Amino acid sequence: MSSKPKRQVISGPMGIQQGSRMLFSDYATDGPMWTGEGRRESRHVIVFAEPFLAKPAVMVGISLWDMDHKSNIRADLSAEEVTATGFHLVFRTWSDTRVAQLRADWTAIGPVRDEDLWEVE
């Protein structure tokens, strides 16, 4: 499945924020990612340290995964509901995939206030 690339032009000062989040360690607690079957989801709200002026571009990636070798590895990691103040970091798996633990890293790039501009009231 392919999708049309999104083009977004932003001018002015840009800011970058980064983070890392351990999404779960289900092997230690016999949680659903390790013991369950079928569709499963782990959703986490990420709040930016400083809000952007508009919705930033958010990239996510897996920085640690511990998967069972006895079944296919099925994983979907995405940034959803992105706003100027944060987003939802979402991991999904399905079928008989067993995930012991997973950590995700993220980077947000977007417009920020120009510190050199004065605000006159």
Side-chain angles (χ1 to χ4, degrees), residues 47-92:
V47 177
F48 299 131
E50 302 255 340
F52 290 93
L53 293 179
K55 182 172 102 169
V58 177
M59 290 132 314
V60 296
I62 295 173
S63 55
L64 175 141
W65 68 353
D66 185 1
M67 307 275 195
D68 187 2
H69 72 282
K70 296 176 187 167
S71 63
N72 288 330
I73 296 172
R74 301 171 184 92
D76 176 12
L77 180 67
S78 61
E80 296 181 356
E81 301 184 37
V82 178
T83 69
T85 59
F87 67 98
H88 290 192
L89 181 57
V90 183
F91 174 81
R92 292 182 181 94

